[in-house]
Amino acid sequence: MELSKEDLAVLISAEGEECGALFQLADQVRQRYLGEEVHLRGIVEFSNYCRNNCLFCGLRRNNWELSRYRMAPDEILESAHEAAGLGCKTIVLQSGEDEYYTAGILAELVHRIKKGLDVAVTLSVGDRPRADYETLRQAGADRYLLKQETCDPVLFGMLKPGSSLAGRIEKLRWLGELGFQVGSGNMVGLPGQTVETLAGDITLMRELKVEMAGIGPFIPNSQTPLGNCPGGTLELTLKTLAAARLAMRLVHLPATTAVRTIHPLGRERALRSGANVIMPNMTPLKYRTNYQLYPGKTGLGETPEESYATAVKAVHDAGRKVASGYGHSLTYAKS
Ligand code: SAM
């Protein structure tokens, strides 16, 4: 029987001892359907330029306090090599929405990574025309991460001026049609969000049949208009994550950097509440401080090697093992 939106809202409203039971159940479901393996996907944050002005994000165009950087394709390739050398079987290339990197430049980069390394490639470069997605898929990109952020269309329109939830959903559908394994996700604790919104986030991702759901706390950033809003709590994030695991048994759920940022053991707690992925930061040290979507982001002083080692430690501390495969979706039946 499928959990309804109302059921999910009840689960996310769990209190006291009920929370422990919810986390344990999600952990059991994860173990039964996905086993003990945790996929380590190395993320390279290659540009912090962004044409958007999202109210929540430190990369927003109007954040004049941020020094901007762009990594050259050769430098990105070098980071990908380093990540693969450390053991990452997936390279995630993420940036702000930076038109400097045309589809052609990115396609060439994806091609070079796929040719030279035995890895899967995920792109997370935002809204693009369908033709760009097509080019990137043809170049060999396996996955695309484009978060819905919130399923509330009014809140979405406020948070992301100039864009709409309907537009984002259309893009998520295109990506699926083009054969990408698709990742979406949402922030927990956004201003104006309710438990019903969070339940709706999960049912929207289930409807879209996403292969990955990045669910993490909203963290207020003083360099943005939402700087004075309260952020998402660890407990609400874990409850949403656990409910997502119960609703989507085979989906990949990362223990996010944001959850590690709001609590030193956040990542380990997430791994015990349904999560099965960690994305160690492979961005060169000199750029990291400028990819602060939110303040206090953890791992800013770590080298890629140290980020990988702390991720492995989190996996072992949670009594799990590092996966050896690419971590393609188990629901993946495209091309
Ligand atoms: N620009 C691309 C896009 O929009 O898909 C990818 C990069 S974007 C910076 C990556 C993610 O960071 C967003 O999807 C959002 O969920 C997260 N993020 C940004 N600001 C945040 C904040 N203040 N708290 C928590 N997460 C945040």
Side-chain angles (χ1 to χ4, degrees):
M1 196 190 70
E2 194 166 81
L3 289 166
S4 67
K5 186 173 157 191
E6 291 69 31
D7 296 333
L8 292 166
V10 171
L11 290 172
I12 298 168
S13 307
E15 279 181 15
E17 284 178 10
E18 296 167 347
C19 294
L22 172 62
F23 302 153
Q24 209 180 352
L25 187 60
D27 198 39
Q28 284 166 2
V29 169
R30 182 274 309 154
Q31 186 181 35
R32 172 151 179 211
Y33 288 89
L34 299 167
E36 299 300 345
E37 292 199 327
V38 177
H39 300 283
L40 299 186
R41 318 221 201 261
I43 181 165
V44 182
E45 301 154 334
F46 65 89
S47 162
N48 68 354
Y49 279 85
C50 192
R51 63 183 172 151
N52 287 346
N53 228 354
C54 302
L55 264 58
F56 50 86
C57 184
L59 305 193
R60 70 197 306 268
R61 179 179 80 221
N62 286 0
N63 181 7
W64 311 113
E65 293 176 60
L66 193 68
S67 331
R68 305 282 171 169
Y69 71 88
R70 286 189 176 113
M71 287 171 65
D74 281 350
E75 226 180 344
I76 302 171
L77 194 64
E78 215 174 283
S79 286
H81 268 274
E82 186 172 9
L86 287 169
C88 295
K89 298 297 282 178
T90 295
I91 309 298
V92 183
L93 301 179
Q94 190 180 79
S95 68
E97 296 208 1
D98 184 358
E99 286 164 321
Y100 170 87
Y101 300 88
T102 59
I105 293 178
L106 290 176
E108 167 74 14
L109 181 62
V110 169
H111 181 73
R112 287 170 74 194
I113 293 176
K114 293 287 291 189
K115 207 170 104 191
L117 298 169
D118 180 25
V119 291
V121 171
T122 302
L123 293 171
S124 174
V125 296
D127 281 349
R128 297 247 170 183
R130 185 174 169 125
D132 281 17
Y133 293 147
E134 214 165 332
T135 305
L136 296 169
R137 176 74 186 127
Q138 276 164 7
D142 303 273
R143 311 189 188 120
Y144 202 100
L145 171 60
L146 186 73
K147 293 203 206 172
Q148 68 204 38
E149 315 292 3
T150 176
C151 69
D152 175 341
V154 177
L155 186 56
F156 185 102
M158 259 162 50
L159 294 176
K160 293 181 71 71
S163 60
S164 70
L165 178 66
R168 192 140 273 226
I169 291 175
E170 181 180 37
K171 294 198 160 103
L172 286 165
R173 291 197 201 281
W174 288 349
L175 291 163
E177 285 162 17
L178 291 168
F180 283 101
Q181 296 171 54
V182 180
S184 184
N186 64 287
M187 282 178 280
V188 174
L190 287 166
Q193 185 184 58
T194 63
V195 165
E196 285 70 30
T197 325
L198 292 169
D201 275 313
I202 296 174
T203 52
L204 176 58
M205 289 190 272
R206 184 172 62 190
E207 230 173 274
L208 291 168
K209 298 189 165 51
V210 300
E211 272 103 3
M212 202 279 270
I215 298 170
F218 158 64
I219 304 175
N221 183 334
S222 63
Q223 296 174 357
T224 69
L226 299 187
N228 290 325
C229 294
T233 62
L234 176 66
E235 187 163 274
L236 188 59
T237 304
L238 295 179
K239 288 192 289 182
T240 310
L241 197 65
R245 171 58 68 215
L246 300 186
M248 299 179 284
R249 292 171 188 165
L250 294 173
V251 81
H252 287 299
L253 290 179
T256 60
T257 304
V259 82
R260 182 185 174 207
T261 297
I262 62 165
H263 192 282
L265 290 177
R267 231 165 32 169
E268 288 79 354
R269 295 280 309 273
L271 286 179
R272 292 195 172 100
S273 306
N276 72 320
V277 172
I278 290 183
M279 290 160 72
N281 195 337
M282 295 291 123
T283 310
L285 207 51
K286 63 179 171 184
Y287 297 123
R288 281 190 191 200
T289 41
N290 291 323
Y291 203 84
Q292 284 215 60
L293 315 173
Y294 40 76
K297 188 172 166 208
T298 52
L300 293 182
E302 290 171 358
T303 60
E305 204 172 346
E306 286 162 349
S307 292
Y308 189 82
T310 59
V312 171
K313 184 173 181 311
V315 172
H316 292 158
D317 286 352
R320 307 268 285 281
K321 59 182 185 200
V322 174
S324 51
Y326 302 105
H328 286 314
S329 167
L330 297 173
T331 56
Y332 189 58
K334 297 164 198 159
S335 78

